[in-house]
Every structure is written in C-alpha cells, then in structure tokens.
C-alpha cells in the first residue's frame, strides 16, 4: 500500500517535469529561439559555457559567498532568536531591528551595500545574503523556544538538571525542527539573494555573469544560470531535510 | 514538621484552597485523597517548587524533592536508559538496571518512549522519581495506567524502597484502596476550595494490612462515603 503510494508519487513527479519541458518546448517554437531558447538549446549552451574556466569560477565564487553569508546569519541569528524566545525583555529590545531588517526593501539594502562596500570582492553580496536570511533564522528559533513544552522544562527544574544539559537535552531537540525550517527558508533565499546582489554590486559570480548575459542579450545563458541557481536552491533544501530525518528518525 | 503553613493558592479568580496547612512527620507515607480538580496536583506542584503561592509559607528547609508526575514527562528523543541517566547520580548508575528489572522493563532499556505503552512510560517515570536523590518523594496518581497485578506489585516495591531509604512520600490518588494500601496517614480533601475533611493514621504496619479485615474495611467505607459526599 505505502510502496504503491510512493511509486505513484514518483510517477506524478516525472509527469510534472515532462509537462514542464513540453510547455517550454512549445513556447520556444511559438516565440522563436531568440526570445525563448528551447530546452535543447539551453543544454547546448550549458556545455559551451562549461568548458570555460570562468564558468566554474563564477559558480564557486557564488557558492562561497552564499555559504559565508548564510553561515553568518545562522551563527548570529540562532543565539539572538534563542534569547528572544526565552525572555520578553530581550525580544522587545531586538524587535525593532527585526522589523527594520524585514521591511526595508532588499533593493535598498543592495544600493546601500554597494555604496558602503563598493564593487570589490563580494563583501556587499555577503552582507545582502546575511541581511535577507537572518530574520528567518531569528524568528524561527524564537518561535521554537516559545513553543517548548513547559512540562518538560518543569521536569528539568524539579530534577535540578544543570543549565548546559537543560539547553542540550531539553531545549535543543525541541527547537531543532524550527531551526531547520528557518535554515531551509534561508537557504532558498540565499541563492536568490546572491544572484541579485552580485548582479548589482559585483564583477564576479553567477549574478555578475547574468548581468553580462543580459547586456549581450544571451537569453540561453540566462536560462543556464537560472537553472544552476534553481539546482543550488533545491540541493540545499534537500540536504537540510535529510539532516532533519537523520537526527529525528529514531524518536519520531 | 509543618510543610505547608496556611497556604492560599489562586489561579486568577479561582481559589484552589485557602489557609491550607499540611503537617507531616519525616519518613512517613501520606496518602492524599480527594475528588478530581480539588487541588491535589496543585499541592504537589507547590511542594515541588513549580507554583507560586498567594499567601502562607512553604517550609522545606533544604529538603530535596523528587517528583513522579501525573503525566510521564519523558524526553521523546532519549531512550529509556538515557532518560534515567539524566537525573541519576554517577554512583547510582547500577541501580538503573535493578529498577528496570523490578519494573519488568529490562528488555526496553534502549527503547524510545514512542515505542512504549502508557503504563510502561508511567513506570519509567516512577523509576526516575526513585533514582533522583531525595528526602521527599511526590507521587501524583503514579499507578493510574497499570493493571491490578502490576499495581499491587509496584505498590509493594514502593513500600520496600521507602523502608530502605526512609524517604517521606506524599502520594496523591483518588483511589481509596491504593491510599489505604500505602499510607501511614490518610488525608481526605473536599472539593475545591479544598479543606482537609479528615485525617487519620493507620497503625497497622503495611506488611500486615489485610484488606479483608474489619478494621480496614471500615476505614475504606468511611473514606468512600466521605468522598462521595464532597463530590455532590
Ligand atoms: N495552570 C492553571 N491555570 C488555571 N487553573 C488551573 C491551573 N492548574 C490547575 N487549575 C485549576 O485548579 C484546580 C485544581 O487543579 P489540580 O490539577 O490541582 O486538581 P487535581 O486534584 O490534581 O485533579 P485530578 O484528580 O483530576 O488530577 C482545578 O479546578 C483546575 O482547573
Ligand atoms: Mg491531578
């Protein structure tokens, strides 16, 4: 029964991809290859690009920027979210910053980052990713802390469990799913952010390469880069989900 | 020893009890009986330091308190052994196996709570209460989810443990038989706001209590009718 559902799900997944490619193909025939390169032409373009050294260098550059920006957001956002969830005073203190980070349009941050960091080595891109991702980490961790089961906290109190153990054994496992959900959203935004920031503030990386493609009206190249960004986003969410399964499969 | 001195506890406008005094002797077992919702758990929570009081005093004077909660409160992400190790002093680790054996749970040492039945989890939570070093042991409906045979066995084990370590036990239940089985002294509470309706000692040592004897039967009937009247 369960097996057949899983098999069915796979079938639907494949059908959906097939239909997507079909529509793409039809559109490219209708609109013409200059405006809408076909799937085949896009793949060809990818091969062309892939033999160039810059291609891999741009990808690597973006990945490194993405990982640095994302990690900094997780590293700083996690404890802030934790203490915001724990104490209302701390939440009140950080709340305005959180609102600011969330409501200031990304494009404003990009322009500011460009003015502050220049178009040098991608510091601006890292800053942008950091600022896009960190609110989601903070909010999720905070929600996680707030939803911690008080009956278990009381248990820890009665049995005098030391603070370190309390955090590791009682808080952490309950916050983990929230934290991973935040990381998952954040990792998706990372690759969108990296491209956008690089387009406007950097000379290297996927975003910058997309800028060049735009100037040269190379739509197939834009497709290739888009595909790579989609791939990066997909892989990172899958990895995070796998990580969650790995940690929780024994007791869920 | 006075444990609670004229304690008043309110939840917002709801007065659970007013000026309640609980006087206990160390090293004895107290069974607290009372209708559902009268404040039995609240009394234990106050002694366990989990609840603030509105007036009165709590006189614990450095007594260590262990607690077997009404719900099991095990950590789902830790197996049975790890759940117990969490509260167990290093020098007592070998007791874990002893207790698991006693509770007929030896085969489940490495199981996770999700794979245990309600009664099993209840027993693990009991072991945890025993393992944590204490002077006063609070037990809230600890025998709820168990069948009669196991319940009788465990009641005996609790008594044995008590003889061993001479702890004070405050045992909350709404089952009169359980209360009479274990208690040196029985405290009967009214419906809320709870007052102590009756308080009596049972002078027969636990091992010699015969539930067919007239004396115990009389106590049982008396207590039951007391409880019936307060619930109406
Ligand atoms: N956190 C709380 N907030 C508000 N009211 C509460 C709270 N905890 C308990 N109460 C109320 O206080 C009263 C006493 O509750 P308590 O849990 O002590 O009863 P109990 O005697 O243990 O009942 P039972 O035998 O059903 O376990 C009840 O009326 C309950 O609704
Ligand atoms: Mg209760």
């Amino acid at each position: 029964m369960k097996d057949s559902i899983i098999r069915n799900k796979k079938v639907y997944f494949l059908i959906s991809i097939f239909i997507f490619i079909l529509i793409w193909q039809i559109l490219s025939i209708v609109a013409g290859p200059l405006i809408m390169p076909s799937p085949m032409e896009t793949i060809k373009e990818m091969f062309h690009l892939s033999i160039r050294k810059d291609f891999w260098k741009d990808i690597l550059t973006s990945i490194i920027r993405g990982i640095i920006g994302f990690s900094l957001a997780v590293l700083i956002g996690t404890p802030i979210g934790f203490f915001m969830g724990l104490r209302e005073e701390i939440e009140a203190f950080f709340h305005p910053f959180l609102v600011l980070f969330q409501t200031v349009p990304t494009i404003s941050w990009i322009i500011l980052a460009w003015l502050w960091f220049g178009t040098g080595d991608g510091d601006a891109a890292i800053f942008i990713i950091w600022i896009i991702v960190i609110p989601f980490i903070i909010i999720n961790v905070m929600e996680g802390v707030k939803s911690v089961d008080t009956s278990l906290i009381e248990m820890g109190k009665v049995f005098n469990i030391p603070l370190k153990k309390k955090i590791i054994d009682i808080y952490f496992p309950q916050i983990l799913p929230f934290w991973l959900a935040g990381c998952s959203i954040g990792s998706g935004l990372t690759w969108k952010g990296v491209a956008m920031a690089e387009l406007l503030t950097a000379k290297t990386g996927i975003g910058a390469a997309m800028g060049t493609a735009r100037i040269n009206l190379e739509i197939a190249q834009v497709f290739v880069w888009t595909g790579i960004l989609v791939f990066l986003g997909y892989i990172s969410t899958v990895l995070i989900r796998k990580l969650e399964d790995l940690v929780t499969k024994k007791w869920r | 020893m006075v444990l609670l001195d004229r304690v008043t506890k309110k939840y917002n406008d709801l007065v659970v009890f007013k000026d309640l005094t609980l006087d206990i002797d160390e090293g004895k077992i107290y069974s607290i009986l009372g209708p559902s919702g009268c404040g039995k758990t609240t009394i234990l929570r106050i002694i366990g330091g989990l609840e603030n009081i509105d007036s009165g005093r709590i006189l614990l004077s450095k007594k260590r308190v262990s607690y077997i909660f009404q719900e099991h409160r095990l950590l789902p992400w830790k197996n049975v052994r790890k759940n117990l190790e969490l509260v167990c002093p290093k020098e007592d680790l070998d007791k874990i196996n002893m207790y698991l054996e006693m509770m007929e749970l030896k085969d489940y040492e490495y199981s996770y709570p999700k794979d245990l039945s309600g009664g099993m989890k209840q027993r693990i939570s009991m072991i945890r209460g025993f393992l944590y070093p204490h002077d006063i042991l609070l037990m809230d409906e600890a025998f709820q989810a168990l069948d009669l045979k196991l319940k009788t066995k465990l009641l005996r084990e609790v008594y044995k443990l008590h003889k061993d370590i001479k702890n004070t036990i405050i045992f909350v239940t709404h089952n009169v038989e359980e209360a009479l089985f274990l208690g040196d002294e029985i405290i009967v509470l009214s419906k809320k706001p709870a007052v102590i309706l009756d308080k009596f000692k049972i002078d027969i040592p636990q091992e010699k209590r015969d539930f067919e004897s007239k004396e115990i039967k009389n106590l049982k009937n008396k207590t039951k009718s007391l409880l019936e009247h307060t619930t109406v």
Side-chain angles (χ1 to χ4, degrees):
Chain A
M1 176 66 185
K2 211 171 174 188
D3 274 5
S4 75
I5 289 176
I6 290 171
R7 210 172 305 130
N8 272 336
K9 267 168 78 178
K10 275 192 181 145
V11 171
Y12 283 112
F13 180 73
L14 289 175
I15 292 175
S16 142
I17 287 186
F18 176 76
I19 290 175
F20 171 77
I21 292 175
L22 192 72
I23 292 173
W24 181 2
Q25 182 70 46
I26 292 169
L27 284 177
S28 79
I29 292 167
V30 175
L34 278 180
I35 293 172
M36 186 65 129
S38 70
M40 207 51 219
E41 280 162 325
T42 307
I43 290 172
K44 261 194 225 155
E45 186 62 40
M46 196 168 86
F47 277 114
H48 277 151
L49 283 176
S50 70
I51 48 177
R52 298 206 327 232
K53 217 171 79 197
D54 284 354
F55 177 79
W56 297 105
K57 222 167 135 188
D58 281 330
I59 293 178
L60 198 66
T61 307
S62 291
I63 289 178
I64 290 170
R65 284 174 189 158
I67 289 175
I68 294 176
F70 175 78
S71 307
L72 283 176
V74 172
L75 237 54
I76 297 168
T78 305
I80 292 178
F82 183 80
F83 289 110
M84 279 175 82
L86 221 51
R87 305 203 62 104
E88 280 178 12
E89 311 83 285
I90 300 180
E91 182 182 354
F93 176 80
F94 280 106
H95 188 72
F97 291 98
L98 199 62
V99 173
L100 193 75
F101 278 28
Q102 279 188 296
T103 49
V104 172
T106 309
I107 194 68
S108 310
W109 288 122
I110 293 180
I111 292 167
L112 290 172
W114 178 69
L115 292 169
W116 291 336
F117 298 99
T119 56
D121 40 12
D123 290 350
I126 291 171
F127 172 75
I128 295 298
I129 296 161
W130 183 80
I131 223 156
I132 293 176
V133 173
I134 201 166
F136 292 92
I137 305 291
I138 292 178
I139 289 169
N140 271 276
V141 172
M142 183 173 77
E143 286 306 318
V145 174
K146 282 184 178 171
S147 70
V148 159
D149 186 349
T150 49
S151 79
L152 296 180
I153 303 297
E154 287 183 353
M155 187 276 287
K157 191 176 173 196
V158 162
F159 295 113
N160 248 319
I161 294 170
L163 184 69
K164 201 177 129 204
K165 266 190 163 182
K166 246 186 236 173
I167 291 176
I168 294 172
D169 291 333
I170 301 180
Y171 277 99
F172 182 69
Q174 295 187 78
I175 299 165
L176 186 74
F178 290 84
W179 184 75
L180 286 171
C183 287
S184 183
I185 300 169
S187 75
L189 292 172
T190 294
W191 308 114
K192 290 180 188 166
V194 88
M196 194 153 49
E198 284 170 345
L199 173 74
L200 297 165
T201 68
K203 295 195 180 75
T204 53
I206 295 175
M210 287 178 92
T212 312
R214 177 187 65 172
I215 290 164
N216 298 335
L217 300 175
E218 294 272 13
I219 295 182
Q221 278 186 24
V222 175
F223 277 24
V224 171
W225 290 118
T226 304
I228 289 164
L229 289 169
V230 168
F231 178 74
L232 287 173
Y234 179 70
I235 287 290
S236 39
T237 40
V238 167
L239 280 180
I240 288 166
R241 204 175 314 135
K242 280 262 164 354
L243 187 69
E244 181 168 8
D245 288 347
L246 199 74
V247 204
T248 61
K249 73 163 182 267
K250 270 198 200 139
W251 52 270
R252 275 244 171 106
Chain B
M1 182 182 99
V2 178
L3 193 58
L4 300 182
D5 180 23
R6 282 163 297 157
V7 168
T8 299
K9 174 67 193 171
K10 297 179 201 159
Y11 288 115
N12 305 317
D13 290 339
L14 178 88
V15 182
V16 186
F17 40 77
K18 203 166 166 263
D19 292 337
L20 184 85
T21 296
L22 199 62
D23 199 355
I24 61 162
D25 291 330
E26 279 173 53
K28 292 262 186 259
I29 303 181
Y30 291 83
S31 297
I32 300 184
L33 277 164
S36 182
C38 76
K40 302 183 295 297
T41 299
T42 306
I43 293 175
L44 295 190
R45 288 176 58 79
I46 289 171
I47 300 169
L50 297 176
E51 208 72 66
N52 295 321
I53 55 176
D54 295 279
S55 71
R57 289 186 306 164
I58 311 162
L59 299 124
L60 272 174
S61 62
K62 284 195 209 143
K63 294 273 178 301
R64 295 164 305 167
V65 176
S66 185
Y67 199 151
I68 300 167
F69 295 96
Q70 194 162 5
E71 323 78 34
H72 59 79
R73 304 201 186 186
L74 299 172
L75 299 177
W77 42 89
K78 287 195 172 290
N79 65 28
V80 167
R81 190 172 181 92
K82 285 263 170 359
N83 260 291
L84 296 174
E85 281 175 357
L86 195 68
V87 308
C88 185
K90 277 202 188 68
E91 62 274 16
D92 288 346
L93 282 174
D94 50 318
K95 283 190 187 163
I96 292 181
N97 278 335
M98 190 265 286
Y99 281 126
L100 284 173
E101 201 108 29
M102 173 186 119
M103 296 276 189
E104 301 176 11
L105 288 166
K106 195 72 204 66
D107 296 342
Y108 298 93
E109 189 177 343
Y110 298 105
S111 301
Y112 284 82
K114 76 164 166 52
D115 298 323
L116 304 175
S117 73
M120 287 167 159
K121 282 182 271 204
Q122 187 67 49
R123 275 178 277 160
I124 306 292
S125 143
M126 252 168 126
I127 299 179
R128 183 178 60 192
F130 295 159
L131 278 172
Y132 181 69
H134 61 272
D135 306 298
I136 301 177
L137 175 63
L138 309 174
M139 297 203 301
D140 199 346
E141 302 278 4
F143 304 96
Q144 222 169 24
L146 307 174
D147 62 70
L148 194 64
K149 195 170 144 248
L150 194 58
K151 183 165 137 172
T152 316
K153 181 181 145 94
L154 293 190
L155 278 162
R156 289 218 167 84
E157 297 288 357
V158 170
Y159 186 72
K160 254 177 31 198
L161 176 92
H162 162 74
K163 288 284 258 189
D164 255 17
I165 64 175
K166 305 197 166 39
N167 56 352
T168 307
I169 299 182
I170 302 178
F171 169 43
V172 153
T173 178
H174 48 234
N175 181 307
V176 176
E177 283 85 357
E178 281 175 21
L180 295 180
F181 190 97
L182 212 53
D184 294 311
E185 193 163 330
I186 315 293
I187 298 165
V188 186
L189 296 178
S190 71
K191 65 178 185 199
K192 72 171 174 286
V195 292
I196 295 178
L197 282 179
D198 195 9
K199 195 173 159 185
F200 57 86
K201 288 197 168 84
I202 302 181
D203 289 326
I204 315 158
Q206 206 280 336
E207 306 89 327
K208 296 207 178 102
R209 276 178 213 175
D210 175 7
F211 272 72
E212 299 308 315
S213 73
K214 215 168 145 212
E215 202 178 346
I216 298 275
K217 270 189 178 158
N218 280 343
L219 284 176
K220 199 161 97 180
N221 291 335
K222 177 181 121 187
T223 313
K224 278 193 171 160
S225 78
L226 212 55
L227 279 171
E228 267 159 34
H229 283 294
T230 185
T231 33
V232 189

